[in-house]
Amino acid sequence: MNTLTIRSATTADAAALARLAELDSREIPAHPLFVAELGDQLIAAVSARDGAAIADPFTRSADAVELLRRRADQVAARPQPRRRLHLSGHGFRIATW
């Protein structure tokens, strides 16, 4: 049984992404990317920026693309911390809450 892993792409994925793009006859989508691995093989990648996808056409990867898009939406919806500039006797500092 193979396990599907969803994770952020790293520089170590460059060759696998190039192979995947070639199989799908597309360009590698804009970074940052989320990728899906089935076992130890990259089967899909989705841009967190615009949702563009590449996938292995010889593998059942449609569900993986959907999961990747959901993950990208989750990350995009995460609220960014609010920052406020404080002036103290020693200069400025940024507070996050």
Side-chain angles (χ1 to χ4, degrees):
M1 182 170 127
N2 287 328
T3 301
L4 183 69
T5 302
I6 303 290
R7 63 176 177 78
S8 295
T10 67
T11 56
D13 296 315
L17 286 167
R19 179 193 141 285
L20 193 60
E22 185 175 330
L23 283 174
D24 201 16
S25 300
R26 296 179 183 250
E27 297 288 323
I28 297 173
H31 286 75
L33 294 170
F34 287 103
V35 297
E37 289 179 320
L38 188 58
D40 61 354
Q41 183 178 1
L42 204 68
I43 63 164
V46 168
S47 170
R49 184 181 305 170
D50 61 11
I54 54 174
D56 185 339
F58 303 109
T59 302
R60 296 180 65 187
S61 54
D63 290 339
V65 169
E66 179 61 29
L67 287 172
L68 289 168
R69 286 190 170 133
R70 286 185 187 185
R71 180 63 184 139
D73 289 345
Q74 287 174 340
V75 171
R78 184 176 299 158
Q80 298 299 316
R82 294 174 51 188
R83 293 189 172 117
R84 177 174 282 172
L85 191 61
H86 290 275
L87 179 60
S88 68
H90 299 15
F92 295 99
R93 70 180 175 92
I94 297 176
T96 304
W97 72 94

